Amino acid sequence: MQSSLSFPPHFQLPRLPDKGQFDSQLRLLGNPKSTPRFPALVGSLRTPLHFESGEGEREVRKDYLPGGISSVVRLPVVITRSCEVSRYVWDGTCLRLVSFGGSGSDGGAVPFYLGDLGDGARRAARASAAAVRDFFLPKLVTSNYVEYVKWKFLHRVFSSALQVIATQVMFRAIGIGYSRSLPSAAALNWVLKEGLGRLSRCIYTASLASAFDTNLKRVRFSTSVLFSLSLGVELLTPAFPQYFLLLATIANIAKQISLACYLATGSAVHRSFALADNLGEVSAKAQIQSVCFDNIGLMLAAFLNMLLKNNCRWQGALPFVVYPIFTAVDLLGVYQGLKHVHLQTLTKDRLVIILNNWINLGYVLSPAKVSSEEGIDIFNTKGIKSWQIRIGFLDSKIEIPELLMMTMRSITDEDYYFICLETCNKLVKRQKHHIVVCLREGAATSDIISGLLQACYVRKALLKNTSFWDRAFDDNSGSSRSAVLEEWFRVAEHCRELAKRDLPVVSEQISAAGWSVKNVLLSTKEQFRYSFVDDQY
């Protein structure tokens, strides 16, 4: 392929003087009181972009470029690579790319001079830091990614060190390294332990697949706690060598479950940091971080063992001393790291938070704000509230069956969801009321958002008149039920109109806030659908 450079008829390249004359003109350029003899050339190459210091513009030193030129013509093209900033200059014979060091705190370029050893050291430090950053961190990620990696460092280092110590203890428990050990029996026990662990991993993954999307943080932290407990079980094997296979199998089952959760949720966590669909780069950097951090943890464990190698008593007590400390730091790293994961996918719980805030305050929360409000919720206590909203199917044994019957009879072929009330009376002293959104087969994302928006309006209306609805579910008389049915349909219809009116604005603001509105992730229980059958005569 060939390319040619052409100029319009009215454009003429400036005529350059010979080398001696050019050098003299460049010297004049270095003197601000002198006027160059070829203003046309200077004017055509002059640029408003300058590199300035606190005392005004500084000249490039004479020994900075080959040829001993005291001043050069700077071109308006700057190249930024990592922390180095370079600029094209014309020295009279050719173009050169001159380094001006790294970026200053104000974002401008800081001039760099080879003669300045202090600047040279700082430039080397900046280059080293940039090399380390490029090795460990992807280029296009969200601002909270670095904080996540800091806490990941603590988690991986201390978790890896604890694994090494636990493995050493298990080897000691089965007699590896002692003359009385039976290698064949040890190998059989080890294979059986691994096989049962992997089988449990498959069963766990199959039974909890949807929770990896809808309750990612809670499941991931819970399995991290489970992993730490499994290491504690492994540390007990020397104390009960006759139960080695049982203890090792239980510990390995817990470790395999934790590993399954880590692998299943890894892509969602990495996608939350990727800004330019660079999921592959973020995942690759995550592997590099894990390998390096794990190796540091291995070295930490090796250092502790070497430190106590001459003291058998302390070496035997080492696992029980470091276990609570390392476990606490490990779980702290996991917990704090998850707080910096801001998922952009929509779930029922996140949509309820978004819609309630929009109804009360008039704006849609960003993923970071929802992540802060959502938290990790280890024990699922945030969902325990008055008139909780859920998606799924209704229990036929509810307090007022006429309410469910009349609601079902009111739906038409054009409806893709309906809303009803139910009362839960399971093992609690006080009744729990729920607002249930039932979705129809073929319901789209807009239908789910509309149904939850209407449910949020219904919840707000019910909370304004709590005493009436509490009495309605306590009083089973016919007159009371008639009043409840009439009030319910009035509230439901009013809230339906509000949801229909506000749905376009809400959907647009949710998308503008950075949420992924293509799908709403639902758990297994929330994925139940009803089918509409019009066979009434």
Short mmCIF file of all heavy atoms in Angstrom, two decimals, residues 26-57:
data_model
loop_
_atom_site.label_atom_id
_atom_site.label_comp_id
_atom_site.label_asym_id
_atom_site.label_seq_id
_atom_site.Cartn_x
_atom_site.Cartn_y
_atom_site.Cartn_z
N LEU A 26 18.31 30.03 15.02
CA LEU A 26 17.85 29.37 16.24
C LEU A 26 18.42 30.04 17.48
O LEU A 26 17.78 30.10 18.53
CB LEU A 26 18.23 27.89 16.21
CG LEU A 26 17.42 27.01 15.25
CD1 LEU A 26 17.95 25.59 15.27
CD2 LEU A 26 15.95 27.03 15.63
N ARG A 27 19.67 30.56 17.37
CA ARG A 27 20.24 31.28 18.50
C ARG A 27 19.45 32.55 18.78
O ARG A 27 19.28 32.98 19.92
CB ARG A 27 21.71 31.61 18.22
CG ARG A 27 22.60 30.36 18.16
CD ARG A 27 24.08 30.73 18.10
NE ARG A 27 24.90 29.54 17.97
CZ ARG A 27 25.31 29.06 16.80
NH1 ARG A 27 24.95 29.64 15.68
NH2 ARG A 27 26.06 27.97 16.76
N LEU A 28 19.01 33.18 17.70
CA LEU A 28 18.17 34.37 17.88
C LEU A 28 16.86 34.01 18.57
O LEU A 28 16.30 34.79 19.35
CB LEU A 28 17.91 35.04 16.53
CG LEU A 28 19.12 35.72 15.86
CD1 LEU A 28 18.73 36.24 14.50
CD2 LEU A 28 19.65 36.86 16.73
N LEU A 29 16.35 32.78 18.26
CA LEU A 29 15.11 32.36 18.90
C LEU A 29 15.28 32.21 20.41
O LEU A 29 14.37 32.40 21.19
CB LEU A 29 14.64 31.03 18.31
CG LEU A 29 13.95 31.10 16.95
CD1 LEU A 29 13.68 29.70 16.45
CD2 LEU A 29 12.69 31.92 17.03
N GLY A 30 16.51 31.83 20.80
CA GLY A 30 16.76 31.67 22.24
C GLY A 30 16.81 32.99 22.97
O GLY A 30 16.68 33.04 24.18
N ASN A 31 17.01 34.09 22.25
CA ASN A 31 17.07 35.40 22.87
C ASN A 31 15.72 36.09 22.68
O ASN A 31 15.35 36.42 21.56
CB ASN A 31 18.19 36.23 22.23
CG ASN A 31 18.38 37.57 22.94
OD1 ASN A 31 17.64 37.89 23.88
ND2 ASN A 31 19.35 38.34 22.48
N PRO A 32 14.95 36.33 23.72
CA PRO A 32 13.63 36.93 23.54
C PRO A 32 13.68 38.34 23.00
O PRO A 32 12.69 38.84 22.48
CB PRO A 32 13.03 36.88 24.96
CG PRO A 32 14.22 36.84 25.87
CD PRO A 32 15.27 36.08 25.15
N LYS A 33 14.86 39.04 23.11
CA LYS A 33 14.94 40.40 22.61
C LYS A 33 15.31 40.46 21.14
O LYS A 33 15.31 41.52 20.54
CB LYS A 33 15.98 41.19 23.41
CG LYS A 33 15.61 41.32 24.89
CD LYS A 33 16.65 42.13 25.63
CE LYS A 33 16.30 42.27 27.10
NZ LYS A 33 17.30 43.07 27.83
N SER A 34 15.65 39.31 20.58
CA SER A 34 16.03 39.27 19.17
C SER A 34 14.84 38.92 18.32
O SER A 34 13.92 38.22 18.76
CB SER A 34 17.14 38.24 18.95
OG SER A 34 18.26 38.55 19.78
N THR A 35 14.86 39.37 17.10
CA THR A 35 13.79 39.10 16.16
C THR A 35 14.31 38.21 15.05
O THR A 35 15.28 38.55 14.39
CB THR A 35 13.24 40.40 15.54
OG1 THR A 35 12.83 41.25 16.59
CG2 THR A 35 12.09 40.11 14.61
N PRO A 36 13.75 37.04 14.84
CA PRO A 36 14.24 36.16 13.81
C PRO A 36 13.98 36.74 12.42
O PRO A 36 13.07 37.53 12.22
CB PRO A 36 13.44 34.87 14.03
CG PRO A 36 12.21 35.30 14.75
CD PRO A 36 12.59 36.49 15.57
N ARG A 37 14.85 36.29 11.49
CA ARG A 37 14.73 36.81 10.13
C ARG A 37 13.72 36.05 9.30
O ARG A 37 13.43 36.43 8.19
CB ARG A 37 16.10 36.74 9.44
CG ARG A 37 17.16 37.60 10.12
CD ARG A 37 18.47 37.48 9.38
NE ARG A 37 19.52 38.27 10.04
CZ ARG A 37 20.78 38.30 9.63
NH1 ARG A 37 21.14 37.60 8.56
NH2 ARG A 37 21.67 39.01 10.28
N PHE A 38 13.23 34.92 9.80
CA PHE A 38 12.23 34.19 9.01
C PHE A 38 10.96 34.02 9.87
O PHE A 38 10.64 32.96 10.36
CB PHE A 38 12.76 32.82 8.54
CG PHE A 38 13.48 32.03 9.59
CD1 PHE A 38 12.83 31.00 10.26
CD2 PHE A 38 14.79 32.33 9.91
CE1 PHE A 38 13.50 30.29 11.23
CE2 PHE A 38 15.45 31.60 10.89
CZ PHE A 38 14.81 30.58 11.55
N PRO A 39 10.21 35.11 10.03
CA PRO A 39 9.02 35.05 10.87
C PRO A 39 7.96 34.10 10.33
O PRO A 39 7.15 33.60 11.07
CB PRO A 39 8.52 36.50 10.90
CG PRO A 39 9.09 37.12 9.67
CD PRO A 39 10.41 36.46 9.44
N ALA A 40 7.95 33.90 9.00
CA ALA A 40 6.94 33.01 8.44
C ALA A 40 7.11 31.60 8.97
O ALA A 40 6.14 30.92 9.32
CB ALA A 40 7.03 33.02 6.91
N LEU A 41 8.36 31.14 9.05
CA LEU A 41 8.61 29.79 9.55
C LEU A 41 8.28 29.70 11.03
O LEU A 41 7.64 28.75 11.49
CB LEU A 41 10.08 29.42 9.31
CG LEU A 41 10.53 28.07 9.90
CD1 LEU A 41 9.71 26.95 9.28
CD2 LEU A 41 12.02 27.86 9.67
N VAL A 42 8.72 30.71 11.79
CA VAL A 42 8.46 30.70 13.23
C VAL A 42 6.96 30.77 13.49
O VAL A 42 6.42 30.08 14.35
CB VAL A 42 9.19 31.87 13.91
CG1 VAL A 42 8.85 31.91 15.40
CG2 VAL A 42 10.69 31.72 13.72
N GLY A 43 6.26 31.62 12.77
CA GLY A 43 4.82 31.74 12.99
C GLY A 43 4.08 30.46 12.65
O GLY A 43 3.11 30.10 13.29
N SER A 44 4.55 29.75 11.63
CA SER A 44 3.86 28.53 11.24
C SER A 44 4.11 27.41 12.23
O SER A 44 3.30 26.49 12.34
CB SER A 44 4.32 28.08 9.85
OG SER A 44 5.71 27.78 9.88
N LEU A 45 5.23 27.45 12.97
CA LEU A 45 5.56 26.40 13.92
C LEU A 45 5.23 26.77 15.34
O LEU A 45 5.39 25.98 16.24
CB LEU A 45 7.05 26.04 13.82
CG LEU A 45 7.49 25.43 12.49
CD1 LEU A 45 8.98 25.17 12.51
CD2 LEU A 45 6.74 24.13 12.22
N ARG A 46 4.83 28.02 15.57
CA ARG A 46 4.52 28.45 16.94
C ARG A 46 3.23 27.78 17.40
O ARG A 46 2.28 27.60 16.64
CB ARG A 46 4.39 29.96 16.98
CG ARG A 46 4.17 30.48 18.40
CD ARG A 46 4.16 32.00 18.42
NE ARG A 46 5.48 32.53 18.09
CZ ARG A 46 5.68 33.46 17.16
NH1 ARG A 46 4.67 33.91 16.46
NH2 ARG A 46 6.90 33.91 16.93
N THR A 47 3.17 27.41 18.68
CA THR A 47 2.00 26.73 19.23
C THR A 47 1.66 27.34 20.57
O THR A 47 2.55 27.76 21.31
CB THR A 47 2.28 25.22 19.39
OG1 THR A 47 1.20 24.63 20.12
CG2 THR A 47 3.56 24.97 20.18
N PRO A 48 0.38 27.39 20.93
CA PRO A 48 0.02 27.91 22.25
C PRO A 48 0.32 26.96 23.39
O PRO A 48 0.14 27.29 24.53
CB PRO A 48 -1.50 28.13 22.13
CG PRO A 48 -1.93 27.16 21.08
CD PRO A 48 -0.80 27.07 20.11
N LEU A 49 0.75 25.72 23.06
CA LEU A 49 1.04 24.74 24.11
C LEU A 49 2.46 24.94 24.62
O LEU A 49 3.41 24.88 23.86
CB LEU A 49 0.87 23.32 23.55
CG LEU A 49 1.10 22.16 24.51
CD1 LEU A 49 0.07 22.23 25.64
CD2 LEU A 49 1.01 20.84 23.78
N HIS A 50 2.63 25.23 25.90
CA HIS A 50 3.95 25.50 26.47
C HIS A 50 4.15 24.64 27.70
O HIS A 50 3.21 24.29 28.39
CB HIS A 50 4.08 26.98 26.87
CG HIS A 50 3.96 27.92 25.70
ND1 HIS A 50 4.92 28.03 24.74
CD2 HIS A 50 2.96 28.77 25.35
CE1 HIS A 50 4.53 28.94 23.83
NE2 HIS A 50 3.35 29.38 24.19
N PHE A 51 5.41 24.34 27.97
CA PHE A 51 5.81 23.72 29.22
C PHE A 51 6.46 24.80 30.06
O PHE A 51 7.48 25.35 29.69
CB PHE A 51 6.81 22.58 28.97
CG PHE A 51 6.20 21.41 28.27
CD1 PHE A 51 6.31 21.27 26.89
CD2 PHE A 51 5.48 20.47 28.99
CE1 PHE A 51 5.73 20.20 26.26
CE2 PHE A 51 4.92 19.38 28.35
CZ PHE A 51 5.04 19.26 26.98
N GLU A 52 5.86 25.12 31.16
CA GLU A 52 6.34 26.23 31.97
C GLU A 52 6.62 25.76 33.39
O GLU A 52 6.01 24.82 33.90
CB GLU A 52 5.28 27.34 32.02
CG GLU A 52 4.99 27.94 30.65
CD GLU A 52 3.96 29.04 30.73
OE1 GLU A 52 3.44 29.24 31.84
OE2 GLU A 52 3.70 29.67 29.72
N SER A 53 7.58 26.42 34.01
CA SER A 53 7.88 26.17 35.42
C SER A 53 7.40 27.36 36.23
O SER A 53 6.79 28.28 35.71
CB SER A 53 9.39 25.96 35.60
OG SER A 53 10.09 27.15 35.25
N GLY A 54 7.74 27.36 37.51
CA GLY A 54 7.26 28.45 38.35
C GLY A 54 7.89 29.77 38.01
O GLY A 54 7.36 30.82 38.30
N GLU A 55 9.07 29.80 37.39
CA GLU A 55 9.76 31.05 37.07
C GLU A 55 9.65 31.40 35.60
O GLU A 55 10.47 32.12 35.05
CB GLU A 55 11.24 30.92 37.47
CG GLU A 55 11.43 30.65 38.96
CD GLU A 55 12.89 30.46 39.28
OE1 GLU A 55 13.71 30.49 38.33
OE2 GLU A 55 13.22 30.32 40.48
N GLY A 56 8.65 30.89 34.95
CA GLY A 56 8.50 31.18 33.53
C GLY A 56 9.05 30.06 32.68
O GLY A 56 9.52 29.03 33.17
N GLU A 57 9.01 30.23 31.42
CA GLU A 57 9.41 29.19 30.48
C GLU A 57 10.92 29.01 30.53
O GLU A 57 11.70 29.94 30.48
CB GLU A 57 8.97 29.59 29.07
CG GLU A 57 9.24 28.49 28.04
CD GLU A 57 8.69 28.86 26.69
OE1 GLU A 57 7.91 29.82 26.64
OE2 GLU A 57 9.08 28.22 25.73
#
